[in-house]
């Protein structure tokens, strides 16, 4: 048979594409897409750690509050977790940049000693860099033992069962008690690690409250305003009073955070909402359209900073510098973060969170997110003892706040990486540099709210979380499987975000939104709904 | 009508001044567009946190200049080490690339060289169809180059575009010159070393510059092939500081676990440090730049 150039190229492309697809396609038993099979998730057993100043309840999304680091941190893991061998892994890099390599890093070497292992970790920028790297490692069959996965990793529900260990027999039900710190991760977080009937990773967990509307209490006070609203008009009045472009001040920045607060004020759900097994996306609700219209008016009235649609890059600087008086794109942890990092340069800085008003008499909604930042998966192996050892190491890293293990995973070595101020550990410049290697990304417990030395700020934050936690609304599709979302979710979301921004900026009329949503439904929205409903029917938490 | 007459009657000097002024304004504005971002990067690297925060991230003039960012960058060791790695890769890589390119281009420029036409086709093919990420990774893995500096040099050692530029230049060298050398008893290697290279300094300089800049700016190969962060080149380290991954995962507004804010001055200081070597290198080769780049492009 003669093979001309065109046929040869065509054949090569077909062979290449098939091989790639085969590498990334799940085995039949993985059950991706249908989501008909779910295994048991680990039982939740709270860890008996140090006593907080104000006790929370993770099962109700209320975090513990500490105003100082415990004076005599207990050691919670009594056995040495590692076996002295090398553990390879890929973890994300923080925004603070790359840290020193293991040989020049006392913080890292100390962790190695504590767990009795050589943690040979490669740090990669999260997002496309990490996807490219991990895809290459998969294709080269060169995976390290531990891989940190973004939940948006392409075809994650296929990749995990195909290439990584199912941890069900080690973690499901009360088996997790062998790893007490992992058992301290509540069930709602494990949903994100459940794929095709197995548990394929340790979720990296955080408090689930985000999109907290933070206000600059010092600016409010100076202007005689109160960071509190009881209806939608109150908020607009507040924005009008705060906006003074001639004084380089706008009420608010970042369109996404603003729209989210408007959604809360109008009663629109976070993402997907489930009612009697039927799923509806927030984009389909009338409340969302009202919120769009509301923010569009805010933009045209000039209440929003001109960079509000330019991403989040400068949001932190704008808020800390007082150019914007409110920031809606914040997690519950941001207030301590700002106080810790900016009060040196801005001693006047004071922050107060502002709860959303009722959208109807007696009805409130507060957006949350699933609280799972990523998954730490273990490469597929039949060596069960090795898996147990790796889980013991991850369990050590998941030790809660206030323990000696926590000090080692976040602060390093006393006198080198941190010094004690009272009982609070303060990172030295060497510590700041060395802890850029995010060993805590291997595994962690849900952090409490730690507002060092500021009992009044701790109380403010605690009263806020108790006020809104009962109304926390988290994406109902979290942990459910949708092949359509895996395949087209990112593209569809990007298209909807573009359309949403066009409406908010006045480039398209609000009346277009109905047609935009109809297109989304036709292009995959309805397919996702069907898959989520089917998956929900089989979910153990249903 | 009066105005028109006046304009028509305006002196040549006035016209020259007018023409010169608007050209100057356009040129000054164009220069400012280029210079201001550079000035801002340098100024921000010297500014303090309060000024940077108040100005929303960038400043044009540091009111309280400080070297703190540079001290932080240079004391950590990460950036200095990566600068040394980048310099090493750039020097060794450029030497290997230039030598390989000269050899290949010379061979391809000789019409009677054995197999030069199929070889030329292969070179041109790579110009049109670059290998994908995964095939490249598999090849580097197969060759045992993963986690070695050679992985950053060998796969990109020869660039087809540069080969074509150099080949065209070599083909423009008068045949009589080469024939004369051959009559004098020189073999091909001697002709290359004693005749071709000395008359091709301009194109070699510009190709060397292309290679050097490419090696210096390269981060993607290191991202793929190097796992040990102590072997990272400076551009990959810079990338970890300047890429804002919060925009990638907007579900978590502030990067979890981040104990310090991303310091803008630190980022800018690293950018300045990463640009300085190439800025020092460039002016010395600039005079060859247009001569070398264009000389091979037109035959006749």
């Amino acid at each position: 048979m003669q093979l001309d150039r065109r046929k040869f190229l065509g054949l090569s492309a077909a062979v290449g594409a098939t091989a790639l697809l085969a590498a990334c396609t799940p085995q039949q038993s993985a059950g991706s897409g249908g989501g008909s099979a779910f295994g048991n998730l680990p039982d939740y057993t709270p860890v008996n750690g140090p006593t907080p100043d104000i006790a929370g309840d993770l099962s109700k999304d209320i975090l513990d509050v500490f105003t100082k680091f415990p004076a005599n941190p207990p050691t919670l893991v009594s056995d040495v977790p590692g076996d002295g061998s090398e553990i390879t892994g890929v973890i994300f890099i923080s925004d603070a940049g790359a840290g020193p390599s293991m040989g020049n890093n006392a913080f890292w070497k100390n962790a190695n000693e504590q767990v009795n292992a050589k943690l040979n970790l490669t740090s990669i920028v999260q997002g496309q860099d990490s996807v490219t790297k991990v895809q290459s490692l998969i294709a080269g069959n060169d995976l390290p033992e531990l891989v940190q996965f973004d939940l948006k990793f392409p075809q994650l529900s296929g990749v995990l069962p195909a290439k990584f260990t199912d941890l069900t027999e080690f973690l499901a039900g009360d088996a997790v008690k062998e790893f007490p710190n992992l058992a301290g991760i509540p069930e709602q977080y494990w949903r994100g690690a459940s794929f095709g009937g197995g548990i394929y990773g340790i979720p990296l967990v955080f408090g689930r409250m985000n999109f907290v509307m933070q206000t600059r209490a010092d600016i409010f006070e100076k202007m005689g305003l109160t960071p509190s609203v009881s209806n939608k008009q109150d908020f607009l009045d507040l924005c009008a009073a705060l906006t003074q472009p001639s004084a380089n001040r706008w009420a608010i920045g970042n369109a996404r955070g603003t729209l989210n607060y408007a959604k809360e004020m109008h009663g629109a759900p976070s993402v997907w909402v489930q009612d009697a097994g039927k799923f509806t996306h927030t984009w389909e609700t009338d409340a969302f359209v009202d919120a769009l219209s509301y923010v569009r008016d805010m933009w045209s009235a000039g209440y929003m900073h001109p960079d509000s649609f330019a991403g989040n890059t400068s949001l932190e600087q704008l808020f800390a510098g007082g150019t914007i008086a409110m920031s809606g794109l914040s997690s519950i942890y941001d207030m301590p973060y700002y106080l810790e990092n900016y009060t040196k340069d801005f001693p006047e800085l004071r922050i107060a969170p502002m709860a959303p008003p009722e959208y109807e008499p007696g009805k409130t909604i507060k957006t949350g997110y699933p609280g799972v930042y990523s998954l730490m998966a273990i490469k597929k192996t039949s060596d069960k003892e090795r898996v147990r050892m790796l889980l013991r190491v991850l369990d050590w890293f998941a030790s809660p706040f206030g323990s000696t293990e926590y000090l080692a995973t976040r602060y390093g070595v006393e006198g080198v990486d941190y010094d004690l101020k009272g009982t609070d550990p303060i990172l030295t410049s060497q510590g700041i540099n060395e802890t850029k290697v995010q060993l805590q990304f291997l595994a962690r417990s849900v952090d409490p709210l730690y507002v060092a030395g500021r009992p009044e700020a701790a109380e403010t934050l605690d009263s806020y979380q108790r006020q809104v936690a009962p109304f926390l609304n988290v994406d109902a599709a979290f942990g459910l499987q949708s092949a359509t979302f895996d395949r087209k979710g990112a593209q569809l979301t990007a298209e909807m975000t573009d359309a949403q921004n066009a409406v908010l900026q006045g480039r398209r009329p609000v009346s277009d939104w109905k047609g935009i949503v109809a297109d989304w439904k036709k292009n995959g929205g309805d397919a996702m709904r069907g898959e989520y409903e089917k998956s929900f029917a089989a979910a153990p938490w249903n | 009508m009066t105005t028109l007459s006046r304009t028509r009657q305006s002196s040549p000097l006035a016209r020259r001044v007018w023409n010169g002024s608007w050209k100057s304004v356009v040129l000054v504005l164009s220069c400012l567009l280029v210079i201001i971002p550079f000035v801002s990067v340098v100024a921000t690297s010297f500014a303090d946190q309060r000024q940077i925060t108040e100005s929303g991230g960038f400043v044009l003039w540091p009111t309280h200049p400080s070297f703190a960012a540079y001290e932080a960058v240079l004391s950590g060791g990460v950036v200095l080490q990566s600068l040394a790695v980048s310099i090493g890769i750039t020097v060794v890589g450029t030497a290997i690339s230039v030598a390989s390119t000269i050899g290949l281009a010379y061979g391809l420029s000789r019409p009677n060289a054995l197999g030069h036409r199929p070889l030329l086709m292969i070179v041109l093919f790579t110009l049109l169809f670059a290998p994908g990420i995964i095939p490249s990774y598999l090849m580097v893995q197969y060759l045992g180059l993963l986690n070695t500096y050679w992985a950053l040099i060998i796969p990109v050692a020869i660039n087809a575009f540069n080969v074509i530029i150099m080949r065209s230049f070599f083909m423009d060298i008068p045949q009589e010159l080469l024939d004369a050398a051959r009559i004098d008893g020189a073999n091909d290697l001697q002709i290359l070393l004693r005749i071709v290279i000395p008359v091709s300094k301009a194109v070699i300089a510009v190709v060397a510059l292309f290679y050097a800049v490419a090696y210096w700016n390269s981060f993607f190969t290191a991202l793929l092939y190097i796992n040990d962060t102590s072997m990272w080149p400076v551009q990959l380290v810079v990338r970890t500081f300047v890429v804002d991954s919060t925009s990638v995962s907007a579900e978590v507004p502030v990067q979890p676990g981040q104990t310090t804010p991303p310091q803008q001055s630190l980022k800018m200081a690293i950018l300045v440090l990463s640009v300085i070597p190439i800025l020092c290198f460039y002016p010395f080769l600039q005079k060859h730049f247009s001569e070398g780049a264009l000389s091979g492009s037109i035959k006749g």
Side-chain angles (χ1 to χ4, degrees), chain B residues 47-61:
Chain B
D48 64 14
Q49 181 69 15
R50 183 172 181 109
Q51 191 190 0
I52 293 171
T53 308
E54 280 177 341
S55 59
F58 287 95
V59 300
L60 280 175
W61 188 255

Side-chain angles (χ1 to χ4, degrees), chain A residues 197-215:
Chain A
I199 300 169
Y200 284 98
I202 309 299
L204 199 78
V205 292
F206 298 86
R208 302 200 309 163
M209 208 173 284
N210 78 340
F211 287 110
V212 174
M213 180 59 75
Q214 295 193 117
T215 65

Side-chain angles (χ1 to χ4, degrees), chain A residues 281-311:
Chain A
H281 198 283
T282 186
W283 292 327
E284 301 174 89
T285 62
D286 291 340
F288 184 84
V289 182
D290 293 342
L292 268 185
S293 185
Y294 182 87
V295 177
R296 181 188 165 102
D297 291 345
M298 284 179 64
W299 173 252
S300 65
Y303 299 155
M304 295 164 68
H305 188 273
D307 286 346
S308 292
F309 289 88

Side-chain angles (χ1 to χ4, degrees), chain B residues 90-107:
Chain B
T90 303
V91 170
V92 175
T94 305
I96 289 174
S97 291
V98 169
S100 314
T101 304
I102 289 173
L104 181 58
Y106 181 66

Side-chain angles (χ1 to χ4, degrees), chain A residues 72-147:
Chain A
N72 297 302
T75 297
L76 296 176
V77 180
S78 48
D79 298 330
V80 176
D83 59 6
S85 61
E86 181 181 72
I87 298 171
T88 54
V90 173
I91 57 170
F92 297 153
I93 278 178
S94 80
D95 274 357
S101 56
M102 183 165 47
N104 302 316
N105 194 322
F107 161 69
W108 193 342
K109 284 196 270 195
N110 176 55
N112 282 346
E113 278 171 29
Q114 302 263 340
V115 296
N116 189 31
K118 185 183 175 192
L119 298 165
N120 186 358
L121 303 172
T122 302
S123 301
I124 300 293
V125 174
Q126 188 193 4
Q128 194 50 50
D129 281 10
S130 133
V131 170
T132 305
K133 178 80 182 180
V134 174
Q135 282 177 335
S136 306
L137 294 171
I138 291 172
N141 204 18
D142 198 21
L143 279 168
E145 287 182 290
L146 301 173
V147 178

Side-chain angles (χ1 to χ4, degrees), chain A residues 152-395:
Chain A
K152 291 174 184 165
F153 192 91
Q155 304 286 335
L156 186 61
S157 61
V159 170
L160 286 175
K163 295 286 178 187
F164 292 84
T165 303
D166 181 359
L167 303 172
T168 303
E169 68 172 287
F170 307 97
L171 299 176
D174 62 1
V176 74
K177 284 181 180 164
E178 188 181 340
F179 314 101
N181 294 320
L182 298 180
I185 298 174
E187 183 261 0
Q188 65 261 32
Y189 294 101
W190 288 103
R191 294 176 190 180
S194 176
F195 293 89
I199 300 169
Y200 284 98
I202 309 299
L204 199 78
V205 292
F206 298 86
R208 302 200 309 163
M209 208 173 284
N210 78 340
F211 287 110
V212 174
M213 180 59 75
Q214 295 193 117
T215 65
R216 282 290 300 266
D218 52 314
I219 295 174
F220 274 60
E221 193 177 292
K222 208 185 292 174
M223 299 182 71
L225 301 167
T226 312
S228 160
V229 288
S230 52
N231 57 49
K232 297 185 267 285
Q233 188 55 46
D234 272 5
F235 186 68
L236 290 180
D237 294 344
L238 209 52
C239 289
L242 287 164
T243 303
Q244 295 175 348
S246 57
N248 194 31
R249 175 174 303 130
W250 283 262
I252 197 162
N254 190 276
R256 195 160 174 253
T258 311
L259 178 62
N260 196 76
Y261 197 66
K263 278 168 65 183
E264 291 172 350
M265 286 192 284
H266 289 83
S270 168
V271 190
W272 286 98
V273 65
Q274 176 274 132
D275 184 20
K278 299 291 170 201
F279 276 60
T280 307
H281 198 283
T282 186
W283 292 327
E284 301 174 89
T285 62
D286 291 340
F288 184 84
V289 182
D290 293 342
L292 268 185
S293 185
Y294 182 87
V295 177
R296 181 188 165 102
D297 291 345
M298 284 179 64
W299 173 252
S300 65
Y303 299 155
M304 295 164 68
H305 188 273
D307 286 346
S308 292
F309 289 88
N312 343 337
T313 312
S314 60
L315 188 68
E316 189 178 322
Q317 311 272 356
L318 292 174
F319 184 65
T323 305
I324 56 172
M326 296 186 284
S327 167
L329 200 66
S330 308
S331 83
I332 189 78
Y333 298 106
D334 282 12
M335 184 171 148
Y337 167 84
Y338 275 105
L339 293 176
E340 186 182 336
N341 290 302
Y342 284 98
T343 40
K344 191 177 133 220
D345 292 305
F346 297 92
E348 72 278 16
L349 178 81
R350 280 190 296 116
I351 296 172
M354 187 165 75
E358 293 177 339
Y359 63 92
E360 276 175 21
K363 290 185 180 174
T364 306
I365 200 164
K366 173 73 203 89
T367 307
Y369 80 117
V372 177
Y373 182 64
S374 64
L375 289 179
M376 182 55 68
I378 296 177
K379 182 186 170 184
K380 191 160 259 185
T381 173
S382 54
D383 184 348
K384 292 186 179 177
E385 277 317 302
R386 183 79 186 164
V387 174
R388 278 207 165 79
M389 187 276 288
L390 292 171
L391 286 172
R392 279 199 304 272
V393 170
L394 295 177
D395 179 68

